[in-house]
Amino acid sequence: DFQVLTDCSTSINKGEVVVICGPSGSGKSTLLRLISGEYTPDGGNISKSGDCTIGFLNQDLLSYQTDDSILEVAMQAFGRQLELQKEIDQVLHKMETNYEDKDVDLLAKLQEEFERLDGYTIQSKTEEILEGLGFNTDDLNRPLRLFSGGWRMRVMLAKLLLQGPDLLLLDEPTNHLDVEGVAWLAEHLKSRKDLSMLVITHDRWFLDEVTERTWEVVHGKVEEYDGGYSAFVLSKAERSRQAAASEARRNNLIR
């Protein structure tokens, strides 16, 4: 056994977009799994506000399969709205043969909540996200299982974007996107001021477009830098230069 991360202390604020970078095997994905609750730390703790919701896009989702259409899978993001729609349909069906005043009141209550939750727009919102991620209109009603892992990952990304969790954890979100898909995702994420995000990706252009802070996972620690990836590269070089200068001065004093 060995420790991947030790003595790490950091935080993310509401609305922030942070890139996690570092060498392969340094613990970047482990950090996301700890934050998501999938892994439990051996020591210390991961704290969040009581009502904070977390969405996690990771490579394990590549294997997810179902006979449901990609539209149906993505629309699972709207759990309460779909539940309300089902209840509304049941009440309407009952009223066709057994009309009662209590059902009229129930229907009005259900429809009021459905409208308040923008239930009438969930399909159009879902179609917009899926098409932005590269699906054709004709694809939307095809079963998810007919698509490759990369395309299934796009559906799961769409579902997470539609859910709109407070904190979105994205592990290599651009891996299975073409240039147009990456550009669309960058613009969409920049428009989502309601989301806080932690992102791992090797796409430097994407990082510079969407991120505001950088966490570098190295030697079991998390070092923080202001700015996106390009700013991080410059800041790290300057820190290294200053450290080398300090070491040289110290050696001169020792001599």
Side-chain angles (χ1 to χ4, degrees):
D1 293 345
F2 65 96
Q3 290 182 317
V4 178
L5 299 166
T6 59
D7 298 326
C8 294
S9 178
T10 189
S11 63
I12 181 170
N13 300 314
K14 184 176 178 61
E16 277 192 317
V17 183
V18 179
V19 57
I20 303 176
C21 63
S24 178
S26 61
K28 301 186 296 294
S29 294
T30 297
L31 182 57
L32 289 189
R33 292 179 187 275
L34 284 167
I35 294 170
S36 73
E38 184 176 333
Y39 289 172
T40 302
D42 295 324
N45 61 81
I46 306 291
S47 62
K48 61 176 185 176
S49 61
D51 59 350
C52 176
T53 56
I54 297 176
F56 186 18
L57 181 80
N58 61 78
Q59 302 305 303
D60 295 344
L61 298 175
L62 284 168
S63 61
Y64 178 72
Q65 295 191 46
T66 178
D67 286 327
D68 291 340
S69 71
I70 62 172
L71 181 63
E72 290 171 323
V73 172
M75 285 182 65
Q76 290 170 5
F78 300 106
R80 179 54 183 162
Q81 292 92 327
L82 294 176
E83 182 182 322
L84 285 167
Q85 183 63 71
K86 184 176 180 180
E87 292 178 17
I88 288 169
D89 291 342
Q90 289 173 343
V91 173
L92 288 171
H93 180 70
K94 179 187 175 188
M95 290 174 65
E96 289 177 0
T97 56
N98 185 17
Y99 188 95
E100 297 183 55
D101 288 343
K102 65 177 183 179
D103 290 327
V104 176
D105 293 338
L106 175 59
L107 180 62
K109 181 179 178 181
L110 292 171
Q111 289 177 328
E112 180 182 358
E113 183 180 357
F114 189 70
E115 186 169 358
R116 178 166 52 81
L117 295 176
D118 294 326
Y120 296 105
T121 67
I122 60 174
Q123 181 164 333
S124 61
K125 288 178 180 178
T126 304
E127 291 171 349
E128 179 182 356
I129 295 289
L130 288 169
E131 290 173 8
L133 289 171
F135 290 97
N136 297 319
T137 303
D138 293 341
D139 291 331
L140 303 186
N141 291 309
R142 296 175 60 202
L144 181 76
R145 62 176 175 78
L146 297 181
F147 292 85
S148 67
W151 285 98
R152 291 198 298 271
M153 181 67 86
R154 296 189 194 202
V155 177
M156 305 313 291
L157 174 57
K159 180 181 175 182
L160 283 174
L161 294 174
L162 290 163
Q163 284 175 330
D166 298 311
L167 176 60
L168 190 56
L169 310 177
L170 300 175
D171 193 352
E172 301 291 359
T174 63
N175 267 11
H176 306 286
L177 298 177
D178 54 20
V179 173
E180 291 78 10
V182 172
W184 180 89
L185 180 60
E187 286 303 312
H188 181 80
L189 293 180
K190 285 192 292 184
S191 72
R192 295 292 296 272
K193 303 304 181 184
D194 57 318
L195 295 178
S196 300
M197 285 174 270
L198 289 173
V199 183
I200 298 173
T201 179
H202 293 92
D203 190 317
R204 181 167 178 165
W205 177 87
F206 179 80
L207 290 176
D208 280 336
E209 283 293 302
V210 304
T211 57
E212 303 158 348
R213 289 172 60 209
T214 300
W215 294 352
E216 183 188 26
V217 181
V218 60
H219 305 310
K221 309 290 185 181
V222 177
E223 300 286 345
E224 296 189 54
Y225 296 81
D226 290 329
Y229 187 78
S230 291
F232 151 72
V233 172
L234 294 174
S235 295
K236 183 177 181 180
E238 177 60 18
R239 286 191 189 184
S240 296
R241 187 193 67 77
Q242 291 177 356
S246 295
E247 179 68 13
R249 286 194 296 270
R250 188 179 70 84
N251 289 337
N252 286 332
L253 288 173
I254 291 175
R255 291 194 191 98

